């Protein structure tokens, strides 16, 4: 049954793109966008077996750097490119073109054993600046809070910094005692193994070993991301160095097609169409 479904989807991709492709593509960047890209590439390559696509994560900043340096055809980014990054790429003859392929919520997560189910942006700010250090201060048990954050090369961190760390209007930083992780998966694993921990991940990384926490009384969901009532939502991007062509255009066209957007929803992201 699974093979029949893959074959059917592959036929839909071929019908959508109009012709088969041949060549190679390099894709680098965000670990948040990575699951969607992997699924899209799997389907696209099933329809285009002569295409070779290499994918690697490493964070949104690494994706931007690869686009600037000319070492990737597509950069995955869970944040917008910064003006300085756009200028550097343009100076190198690679004017970035942005495609928003899905929407996402950044979800604070705790261990399922933790009784806390909701926090405010102000409380999250206090926890991540080190001002709130015990779960009893936010309605939990009398236990130390173990703070887990993404590293600074992460687009997820940049969004968290913008919407939580600077929510008070101050340029606050994550306090030095926080444990930094290099990917959404690493954050999820660390929180799932420590009942005192708090972290944050993209919506697609929620699983039964994590407990998602509402923010300002709003639960992260497709609806609250689209109507912008959830305070920590964002767009998920891919960038190309100029207008995409050939295999890269075919892959992007598929990701933006109804079939590609359905895959985004199946993974746990929010379709833009």
């Amino acid at each position: 049954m699974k093979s029949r479904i893959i074959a059917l989807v592959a036929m839909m991709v071929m019908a959508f793109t109009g012709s088969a492709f041949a060549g190679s593509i390099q894709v680098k960047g965000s670990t948040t966008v990575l699951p969607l890209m992997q699924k899209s590439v799997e389907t696209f390559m099933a329809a285009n077996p002569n295409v070779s696509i290499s994918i690697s994560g490493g964070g949104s900043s690494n994706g931007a750097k690869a686009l600037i340096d000319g070492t990737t055809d597509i950069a995955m980014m869970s944040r917008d490119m910064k003006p300085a990054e756009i200028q550097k790429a343009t100076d190198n003859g690679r004017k970035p073109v942005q495609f928003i392929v899905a929407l996402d919520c950044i979800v604070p997560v705790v261990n399922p054993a933790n009784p806390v189910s909701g926090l405010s942006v102000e409380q999250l700010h206090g926890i991540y600046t080190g001002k709130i250090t015990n779960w009893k201060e936010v309605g939990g048990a009398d236990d130390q809070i173990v703070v887990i954050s993404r590293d600074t090369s992460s687009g997820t961190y940049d969004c968290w910094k913008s919407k939580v760390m600077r929510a008070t209007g101050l340029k606050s930083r994550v306090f030095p005692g926080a444990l930094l992780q290099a990917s959404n998966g690493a954050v999820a694993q660390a929180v799932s193994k420590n009942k005192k921990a708090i972290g944050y991940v993209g919506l697609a990384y929620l699983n039964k070993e994590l407990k998602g926490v509402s923010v300002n009384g709003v639960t992260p969901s497709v609806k609250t991301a689209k109507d912008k009532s959830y305070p920590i939502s964002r767009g998920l991007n891919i960038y190309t160095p100029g207008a995409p062509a050939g295999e890269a255009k075919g892959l992007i066209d598929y990701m933006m097609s109804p079939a590609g957007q359905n895959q985004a929803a199946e993974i746990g992201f929010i379709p833009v169409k």
Side-chain angles (χ1 to χ4, degrees), residues 32 78 102-109 118-125 128 150 155-167 184 198-204 206 212-236 269-270:
T32 301
S78 59
L103 303 176
D104 189 27
C105 297
I106 299 180
V107 187
V109 289
L119 293 166
S120 67
V121 169
E122 183 179 3
Q123 287 172 325
L124 289 168
H125 182 272
Y128 274 83
R150 291 294 305 279
T156 301
Y157 168 79
D158 270 3
C159 187
W160 185 264
K161 178 176 68 175
S162 172
K163 296 180 179 290
V164 175
M165 304 310 296
R166 296 185 176 179
N184 280 272
I198 184 171
Y200 52 89
V201 297
L203 194 61
L206 287 180
V213 174
S214 66
V215 180
N216 289 354
V218 181
T219 300
S221 68
V222 172
K223 180 181 181 298
T224 58
K226 285 187 172 181
D227 66 20
K228 299 183 180 180
S229 59
Y230 183 70
I232 322 175
S233 55
R234 58 176 173 176
L236 299 179
F269 292 129
I270 301 156

Side-chain angles (χ1 to χ4, degrees), residues 100-157:
I100 301 174
V101 293
L103 303 176
D104 189 27
C105 297
I106 299 180
V107 187
V109 289
V110 297
N111 188 281
N114 192 324
V116 173
S117 58
L119 293 166
S120 67
V121 169
E122 183 179 3
Q123 287 172 325
L124 289 168
H125 182 272
I127 290 169
Y128 274 83
T129 54
K131 294 178 181 177
I132 297 175
T133 60
N134 194 298
W135 281 111
K136 69 180 181 181
E137 298 178 68
V138 290
D142 185 8
D143 274 323
Q144 175 193 4
I145 300 176
V146 176
V147 178
I148 298 173
S149 181
R150 291 294 305 279
D151 58 73
T152 56
S153 68
S154 159
T156 301
Y157 168 79

Side-chain angles (χ1 to χ4, degrees), residues 3-32:
S3 61
R4 290 181 181 178
I5 293 172
I6 292 174
L8 179 60
V9 173
M11 289 175 64
M12 292 172 63
V13 176
M14 294 233 8
F16 178 78
T17 58
S19 61
F21 295 96
S24 62
I25 308 173
Q26 289 282 339
V27 183
K28 298 180 181 180
S30 167
T31 62
T32 301

